[in-house]
Amino acid sequence: MAKIFCVANQKGGVGKTTTTVNLAAGLAKVGQRVLMIDLDPQGNATMGSGIDKRRLETTVYDVLLESASVTEAKVRAEKCGYDVLGANRELAGAEVEMVALDRREKRLRTALATVGAEYDFILIDCPPSLSLLTLNGLCCAHGVIVPMQCEYFALEGLTDLVNTIKQVHANLNKNLQIIGLLRIMFDPRITLQQQVSEQLKAHFGDKVFDTVIPRNVRLAEAPSYGLPGVIFDPAARGSQAFVAFAEELVQKMPPASALAGAAPAPAPMAPPPVAVQDPQGL
Ligand code: ADP
Ligand code: MG
């Protein structure tokens, strides 16, 4: 059975989409069968996998409204080595249309039940909100991968996310847990990033992935070529880090059956008293 992970963080621009497409490509590279689901109406993960969102006839929108199955709606990202259940602007309407429907937060979960055996990993790129779309992702997942930049406000947002995950765990999905925090866009020369990184490790322990994704311009350039960095420039430092992350995940994760019923997350942390270095000494 596939292990189903959401890549989530309610902040925008923290690297969710970059993580999802590069992890998908990295997992495919190390021999895993991967389905990447784009749950963000912006469709960045779809475009970033080389699928033109404007030309897609069936998307995750049709799956959520039960007018298509996952098998019917998925497409192959040939160069990337994984399948894509894409999204485009139409998905923004799903939020409103689903409100009146029954089982509205479990629609994706129901749909994925039929394809679980075809994949080793299903990765879900979530929008930057705790909306009904994100809730659909959280309801069908075994866990959440949280990409975060090591800066002060990142920690503040983390508290909200941890609380949401606990609520979903308590009320809707007993399997849901934090799989790990991924430090992304990391620059070791910045003292504050090092400090936040240390505090994350102190508080979350082995929930912080060993792999760190560096800030790397090749990862930022790749989407304009319709490719994950891992495929666009495999030799780039950022790409190599994502392949190492894929390997870490494959090694650490037990089978999907063993992922059920774990504690959702360590206690949320208050924003720690990081001493911001003042370069002027003022
Ligand atoms: P989100 O999906 O959370 O909104 P994105 O993955 O779209 O975030 O990333 C936001 C921006 O940061 C994008 O322009 C992306 O190319 C860039 N980016 C993400 N990760 C890195 C990285 N490791 N190094 C450099 N740029 C990055
Ligand atoms: Mg995104």
Side-chain angles (χ1 to χ4, degrees):
M1 282 302 279
K3 301 175 197 50
I4 307 176
F5 297 145
C6 282
V7 179
N9 188 325
Q10 73 277 29
K11 283 168 75 99
V14 291
K16 291 182 291 296
T17 300
T18 306
T19 299
T20 311
V21 298
N22 281 287
L23 178 58
L27 286 168
K29 221 170 206 178
V30 298
Q32 304 292 303
R33 299 166 302 161
V34 182
L35 172 65
M36 195 283 294
I37 301 178
D38 191 351
L39 259 191
D40 188 338
Q42 293 183 77
N44 292 344
T46 305
M47 297 294 275
S49 303
I51 310 290
D52 188 345
K53 64 182 178 186
R54 292 155 302 202
R55 294 185 173 198
L56 272 182
E57 280 176 12
T58 46
T59 66
V60 70
Y61 169 86
D62 301 281
V63 171
L64 290 171
L65 292 180
E66 296 180 347
S67 59
S69 68
V70 176
T71 308
E72 287 161 345
K74 73 177 185 199
V75 291
R76 182 80 180 162
E78 285 297 343
K79 289 183 188 156
C80 307
Y82 53 84
D83 287 348
V84 173
L85 183 52
N88 54 30
R89 282 175 56 197
E90 204 180 23
L91 184 59
E95 189 102 37
V96 180
E97 288 168 58
M98 283 196 304
V99 167
L101 304 178
D102 61 331
R103 304 178 291 103
R104 56 178 181 258
E105 67 284 327
K106 301 218 165 132
R107 297 237 151 184
L108 191 59
R109 181 184 182 137
T110 309
L112 286 182
T114 56
V115 294
E118 293 171 36
Y119 298 101
D120 299 304
F121 286 90
I122 298 178
L123 301 179
I124 305 173
D125 186 30
C126 290
S129 62
L130 300 171
S131 60
L132 187 52
L133 290 172
T134 302
L135 205 53
N136 260 274
L138 295 178
C139 275
C140 66
H142 295 108
V144 184
I145 294 170
V146 186
M148 57 183 304
Q149 294 177 48
C150 289
E151 55 186 37
Y152 184 74
F153 288 119
L155 294 171
E156 216 172 50
L158 198 55
T159 309
D160 294 340
L161 184 63
V162 166
N163 285 332
T164 302
I165 289 168
K166 286 195 162 166
Q167 276 177 22
V168 174
H169 180 270
N171 300 307
L172 294 165
N173 177 5
K174 281 274 167 283
N175 292 341
L176 192 70
Q177 56 176 305
I178 287 198
I179 297 296
L181 307 177
L182 177 67
R183 291 164 288 173
I184 182 169
M185 299 191 223
F186 192 76
D187 185 343
R189 293 166 302 182
I190 300 175
T191 312
L192 176 64
Q193 292 207 359
Q194 275 179 3
Q195 289 173 339
V196 173
S197 176
E198 287 310 313
Q199 278 166 344
L200 276 181
K201 277 198 283 189
H203 187 84
F204 287 95
D206 61 4
K207 288 281 182 193
V208 181
F209 290 112
D210 295 335
T211 311
V212 177
I213 310 296
R215 184 171 285 282
N216 180 209
V217 70
R218 300 300 270 169
L219 291 176
E221 288 169 352
S224 60
Y225 295 85
L227 291 171
V230 164
I231 308 294
F232 171 62
D233 184 354
R237 275 190 323 124
S239 306
Q240 291 181 345
F242 269 115
V243 175
F245 178 44
E247 281 165 346
E248 180 182 351
L249 204 61
V250 170
Q251 257 171 27
K252 277 192 179 161
M253 285 301 110
S257 55
L259 281 169
M269 72 200 284
V274 173
V276 180
Q277 305 281 315
D278 182 348
Q280 265 90 43
L282 295 171

